[in-house]
Amino acid sequence: MPKLKHILVLRFSAMGDVAMTVPVLRALTSQYPELKITVVTRAFFKPFFQDLDNVTVYEADLKGKHKGVLGLYKLSKELKALKFDAVADLHNVLRSKILKFFFFGKRVVQLDKGRAEKKALTSGQTFQQLKTTHQRYADVFEALGFSVDLTQPSFSAPKELSDNLSAFISNKALKTIGIAPFAAHESKMYPIEKMKSVIADVSKNHNVILFGGGAKEITILNQIEQGFDNVKSVAGKITFEEELALISNLDVMLAMDSGNAHLAAMLGKKVITIWGVTHPFAGFAPFNQPNDFALTADREQFPLIPTSIYGNKFPEGYENAAGSVSETIIVSKIKAII
């Protein structure tokens, strides 16, 4: 079979999953510099890919002109005009399956999500490390003839900060910690009062930048900012692209099992994660981080963890499982890394 020259990559959402594609695509295009990649994703995610060689983004307007089956048909016609050779479906959902139908005649390899293994993990049948999501993405490209080595990653240099962004770093002489205390589900979040204790400790000798979004989160983060020196919240104050620039200048990021963890890892940062009812064994730990950077809930106290892959399902009494990780452990890990 002739070597492929142009691969179409489908990965519409969610933010963390899209971010996880970036180090894989960086490795792919550095190891195969003659290969052209077009990523089909939402416009919001376009900044993720701006520093990747031979990678362009085609914006899918899934709430507008590309909405529904007819919209996907229109999208498929637009994409066919790009004259790609094959499709790497890194999403494998109904939307991408419909597109696959419209791409009749083109070679399509779809992501193996490992549903059976994940079900065994969350049902308690097994408790072992599953293949990482990054490796699952790499497997798709291997099936297309491109074996990808993820063991020697490279990253872009930190972005130069404007005066506006530099103002969020209180003391230029100190190292800077990013903290993203929220997640899609409360069962994945560290209790906010305990997080305030962590912030109180580490902000004594380090800058702390708080990340989050949404009206409720913005209010909470602004209140925390006002309570401590060397602490600044960026929530609701800067653009998403500016957030990425700030993250690229962090010394370490502390986050939940959330999109912010993957954004920092995508940018080559050290990332400490706190896990509640989910667990890194499911394969969603941020890229290129040592195992001990993942601080998991106490399974003696919460033996059914992981209760689900995404944190949306858990038995009564498990909603604050992340709180079983002590503030002392978190602070010690930050100080050891930084």
Side-chain angles (χ1 to χ4, degrees):
M1 186 180 72
K3 199 76 169 176
L4 306 176
K5 295 180 179 179
H6 183 187
I7 296 177
L8 195 70
V9 173
L10 306 179
R11 181 68 253 192
F12 305 113
S13 61
M15 184 171 74
D17 296 306
V18 178
M20 281 192 279
T21 67
V22 174
V24 179
L25 292 180
R26 187 184 295 279
L28 173 70
T29 53
S30 65
Q31 291 162 36
Y32 302 94
E34 74 287 355
L35 183 63
K36 179 181 178 183
I37 299 291
T38 299
V39 178
V40 185
T41 193
R42 298 172 191 263
F44 182 77
F45 300 127
K46 193 170 183 178
F48 290 12
F49 304 94
Q50 60 188 358
D51 294 328
L52 299 187
D53 294 333
N54 298 333
V55 176
T56 56
V57 173
Y58 195 94
E59 298 173 13
D61 182 10
L62 300 172
K63 293 184 177 178
K65 66 177 180 176
H66 300 139
K67 183 179 180 180
V69 176
L70 289 177
L72 291 173
Y73 175 68
K74 184 175 183 180
L75 176 60
S76 72
K77 289 183 69 176
E78 294 170 13
L79 294 172
K80 283 180 182 177
L82 302 179
K83 301 191 183 305
F84 58 87
D85 299 316
V87 179
D89 177 7
L90 302 185
H91 206 165
N92 195 355
V93 292
L94 179 60
R95 186 178 284 123
S96 59
K97 288 174 181 174
I98 293 171
L99 278 174
K100 177 183 177 180
F101 175 77
F102 292 141
F103 291 148
F104 180 78
K106 293 286 188 180
R107 188 167 180 215
V108 179
V109 176
Q110 293 182 292
L111 173 72
D112 175 7
K113 293 185 174 182
R115 287 190 176 93
E117 304 119 86
K118 289 174 181 174
K119 185 176 181 180
L121 181 67
T122 57
S123 67
Q125 289 177 262
T126 62
F127 185 66
Q128 60 186 15
Q129 180 66 58
L130 303 184
K131 184 180 290 188
T132 68
T133 300
H134 304 96
Q135 188 57 53
R136 291 186 187 278
Y137 291 158
D139 289 348
V140 173
F141 294 108
E142 181 159 12
L144 289 169
F146 299 90
S147 179
V148 185
D149 180 5
L150 299 177
T151 62
Q152 301 292 328
S154 61
F155 303 96
S156 295
K159 297 289 185 184
E160 189 171 338
L161 296 181
S162 64
D163 291 342
N164 177 47
L165 292 182
S166 291
F168 287 101
I169 300 176
S170 302
N171 187 333
K172 304 299 185 289
L174 302 178
K175 292 196 172 182
T176 303
I177 302 161
I179 297 182
F182 301 105
H185 302 285
E186 287 192 16
S187 60
K188 299 204 294 183
M189 283 171 45
Y190 196 61
I192 202 70
E193 291 304 315
K194 288 193 170 192
M195 184 58 80
K196 287 179 184 178
S197 298
V198 172
I199 292 169
D201 192 318
V202 297
S203 64
K204 292 174 185 174
N205 298 299
H206 305 93
N207 299 305
V208 173
I209 300 177
L210 305 176
F211 295 86
K216 183 180 177 183
E217 294 182 9
I218 289 171
T219 300
I220 293 171
L221 295 181
N222 284 340
Q223 290 171 348
I224 295 174
E225 175 188 66
Q226 291 163 15
F228 304 99
D229 293 332
N230 298 329
V231 176
K232 299 284 188 182
S233 170
V234 300
K237 299 173 184 175
I238 59 177
T239 67
F240 182 57
E241 203 159 347
E242 287 175 322
E243 280 197 30
L244 292 177
L246 261 181
I247 291 172
S248 78
N249 282 270
L250 297 177
D251 292 288
V252 64
M253 171 69 93
L254 172 67
M256 308 301 106
D257 168 22
S258 67
N260 278 294
H262 297 296
L263 295 182
M266 170 187 91
L267 295 168
K269 302 292 102 179
K270 296 175 181 177
V271 185
I272 301 168
T273 42
I274 303 172
W275 300 71
V277 298
T278 56
H279 196 280
F281 275 6
F284 290 97
F287 182 69
N288 196 43
Q289 307 298 319
N291 292 338
D292 66 347
F293 282 21
L295 307 178
T296 56
D298 183 353
R299 286 189 80 248
E300 288 191 11
Q301 189 178 348
F302 301 100
L304 301 180
I305 287 175
T307 64
S308 65
I309 298 300
Y310 303 109
N312 55 330
K313 299 174 184 176
F314 52 89
E316 187 176 349
Y318 274 61
E319 48 277 349
N320 291 318
S324 63
V325 180
S326 76
E327 298 100 306
T328 303
I329 288 175
I330 297 169
V331 170
S332 296
K333 181 62 69 174
I334 291 171
K335 291 179 178 179
I337 291 172
I338 209 164

